[in-house]
Amino acid sequence: MAKSVSLPNGRFWKAQTAALDHFKNMLKRYADEQTVEDYLDHDDLVALLERYDAVIIDGPTKIGRGIDYFFRRQNAGEGFSTPGFWVRRVDGSETDLSYIQAVKGQPKSNAQEFYDACRAAVAADLLAAKKRHFTAFR
């Protein structure tokens, strides 16, 4: 059975996949570093942040002291880059927003947090090993 998604602004989807598609399509409409100017998109992202902050009670709030605006930016790590939404707060700080985690309404498990930390700790070594391998066996 599909899990429905409702946001504090009244938006509702009968299935998580529909909500995920909505935000994925929204992300595609913007270029990197472009501000989200459509007021409906902005309203949906605010409501999504409110949903996220309600679920993640043991971490820092994504909203902070208030939202200035949203924009699209590349999330870059060791060997990867993916587009995502970012929020600029009224105090000038910025943070990324995982619309997938927010829609699912579930924080990462301790096991997933541990896995992510371990993966990040060895990411540079893995990338270097891959480069050495491909250089040696071209």
Side-chain angles (χ1 to χ4, degrees):
M1 182 164 171
K3 291 183 180 180
S4 64
V5 175
S6 60
L7 298 180
N9 67 348
R11 293 281 274 163
F12 177 81
W13 295 270
K14 290 183 180 181
Q16 281 184 356
T17 54
L20 290 169
D21 286 345
H22 171 77
F23 288 102
K24 182 178 181 179
N25 291 331
M26 182 190 299
L27 185 63
K28 288 179 182 179
R29 290 196 300 268
Y30 295 94
D32 288 343
E33 303 303 321
Q34 183 181 3
T35 301
V36 174
E37 293 185 1
D38 182 283
Y39 74 93
L40 293 174
D41 290 349
H42 179 87
D43 189 50
D44 284 349
L45 288 170
V46 169
L48 192 64
L49 268 187
E50 290 172 352
R51 175 182 171 88
Y52 183 90
D53 280 352
V55 172
I56 311 297
I57 56 175
D58 63 342
T61 174
K62 291 280 187 177
I63 293 174
R65 293 187 176 157
I67 299 165
D68 192 5
Y69 60 89
F70 294 95
F71 61 100
R72 175 186 155 141
R73 175 177 282 167
Q74 290 292 317
N75 297 309
E78 292 288 338
F80 77 90
S81 179
T82 59
F85 288 113
W86 281 67
V87 59
R88 181 165 176 103
R89 300 181 188 111
V90 293
D91 66 2
S93 63
E94 298 175 347
T95 189
D96 63 328
L97 163 64
S98 170
Y99 73 85
I100 296 169
Q101 290 291 328
V103 165
K104 289 183 177 181
Q106 295 176 324
K108 289 183 180 180
S109 68
N110 288 340
Q112 185 63 49
E113 290 283 352
F114 180 72
Y115 172 85
D116 291 348
C118 290
R119 182 79 178 177
V122 299
D125 293 334
L126 285 172
L127 188 57
K130 286 179 184 178
K131 287 180 181 179
R132 284 192 308 274
H133 176 80
F134 288 117
T135 299
F137 298 101
R138 277 193 228 194

